[in-house]
Amino acid sequence: MPTYLNADLHCHSVVSDGTLTPEALAARAKANGVELWALTDHDEIGGQQRAAAAAQALGLAYLTGVEISVSFAGKTVHIVGLGFDAGDAQLQAGLLATRGGRSQRAMEMSEQLARVGIAHAYEGALKFVGNPELISRTHFARFLVECGVCRDTNEVFRKYLTEGKPGYVEHRWATLKDAVNWITQAGGIAVIAHPARYGFSANEEFALFSEFKAHGGRGVEVVTGSHSAAECLRYADTAREFGLAASRGSDFHSPEESRTDLGTLPLLTGGLTPVWELVHERIQSAAPH
Ligand code: AMP
Ligand code: MN
Ligand code: MN
Ligand code: MN
């Protein structure tokens, strides 16, 4: 499989914090020229069957996907899993446990927001939730935009939902080791998502990549919706230094909110091993038509 494939291996549906159904995402990916697709909902694989079936009906090659929330060095890091067996019991149990604290966190967020004059944020966020186990900061952001507290979700995150801001509640997610193991033991590969987003120091980043490798992690997102051109180049170097394969994914959530649409990012450059080479036998091929 070539490096220059139009693969989009990172996006979200209503099963987590996206606004489109798995079927609508599959159709959008196909229309945008995507050749290999993965739906990677946060901490949840409940949309996988629908995504794979929709992809097959459209003649679109598919890899199973997930994006697991991990706590590392006091921050939240996201690990994408690709090409795993979605029926794997250990993976399912791990994801269930990872989702477990979300409702409690959401109620605490709501209490904190009430203290700065924003009432009933929990109930408000719930209106935007497609999956009751997966209430996320994104749903609060949509509610605060609806109320007119902020103009867009980016402003909500900046003013209310990030570290040090009034609606931010620290949360303990999965460990890096567990997340990598759940994915790997289910036959998939683990990939560090959007590494430029974490704001780690050089030492912290080195520790993340080293520990990830030691646990059996195989890839890193080089081309993603949240990387600048310079960051793509930088993480292409990091991939080569650590012997990791490279992934490409838009992190598309919503036509209204996402800057990067499915399948529209620059292609991976040569000299990198694309992640789809490592999981080519796990690709669910499109029906010939
Ligand atoms: P959670 O898993 O509940 O902590 O929510 C994390 C999600 O919030 C991410 O997956 C993004 O979809 C969204 N998010 C995080 N930071 C921002 C930001 N600055 N602007 C918009 N959305 C963000
Ligand atoms: Mn998200
Ligand atoms: Mn992420
Ligand atoms: Mn994502």
Side-chain angles (χ1 to χ4, degrees):
M1 299 216 96
T3 312
Y4 48 81
L5 197 70
N6 188 348
D8 195 321
L9 305 179
H10 190 150
C11 70
H12 300 272
S13 76
V14 290
V15 172
S16 63
D17 62 348
T19 62
L20 300 183
T21 60
E23 291 80 9
L25 285 167
R28 195 176 182 98
K30 181 73 182 176
N32 287 359
V34 172
E35 295 165 286
L36 174 64
W37 177 53
L39 170 66
T40 56
D41 278 309
H42 296 286
D43 308 324
E44 171 68 272
I45 53 177
Q48 291 303 307
Q49 274 190 358
R50 286 171 64 185
Q56 170 133 48
L58 290 163
L60 174 60
Y62 188 75
L63 275 171
T64 51
V66 68
E67 182 177 22
I68 305 183
S69 312
V70 160
S71 294
F72 184 86
K75 290 204 166 103
T76 300
V77 165
H78 286 167
I79 300 297
V80 163
L82 296 170
F84 50 79
D85 167 12
D88 185 85
Q90 183 183 234
L91 174 65
Q92 288 177 352
L95 294 176
L96 184 64
T98 307
R99 291 194 295 276
R102 280 184 176 271
S103 293
Q104 181 64 34
R105 178 182 72 143
M107 283 183 248
E108 288 171 31
M109 286 171 66
S110 186
E111 282 167 26
Q112 289 191 194
L113 288 168
R115 277 187 223 126
V116 294
I118 300 163
H120 308 300
Y122 179 70
E123 293 75 11
L126 271 184
K127 288 189 298 178
F128 292 89
V129 166
N131 172 1
E133 282 183 19
L134 218 293
I135 184 162
S136 100
R137 284 185 290 162
T138 314
H139 303 114
F140 280 85
R142 289 182 187 140
F143 172 63
L144 266 63
V145 171
E146 184 197 54
C147 296
V149 174
C150 290
R151 264 172 299 125
D152 58 37
T153 53
N154 266 317
E155 188 186 341
V156 182
F157 273 91
R158 206 169 59 244
K159 293 187 175 163
Y160 292 97
L161 299 181
T162 41
E163 214 177 324
K165 298 298 154 64
Y168 183 77
V169 172
E170 204 177 305
H171 190 71
R172 188 67 74 82
W173 302 105
T175 65
L176 181 64
K177 181 180 180 189
D178 281 348
V180 173
N181 281 340
W182 296 334
I183 294 162
T184 309
Q185 287 173 15
I189 57 165
V191 177
I192 298 176
H194 43 64
R197 280 255 304 269
Y198 306 126
F200 280 140
S201 68
N203 281 345
E204 286 168 333
E205 189 172 277
F206 184 83
L208 171 65
F209 277 80
S210 306
E211 289 184 35
F212 175 74
K213 263 291 269 198
H215 295 315
R218 303 292 303 280
V220 57
E221 285 183 348
V222 169
V223 177
T224 108
S226 57
H227 280 179
S228 66
E231 286 164 345
C232 292
L233 289 173
R234 183 169 147 220
Y235 287 100
D237 284 343
T238 312
R240 283 186 282 261
E241 273 164 42
F242 281 87
L244 293 171
S247 192
R248 174 180 186 264
S250 57
D251 207 357
F252 180 79
H253 282 70
S254 155
E256 286 76 36
E257 295 163 14
S258 298
R259 270 173 301 146
T260 310
D261 205 342
L262 287 158
T264 62
L265 285 168
L267 299 174
L268 285 182
T269 50
L272 294 166
T273 303
V275 287
W276 45 94
E277 261 180 29
L278 305 183
V279 280
H280 62 90
E281 78 288 356
R282 319 269 325 176
I283 294 173
Q284 301 174 46
S285 284
H289 64 196

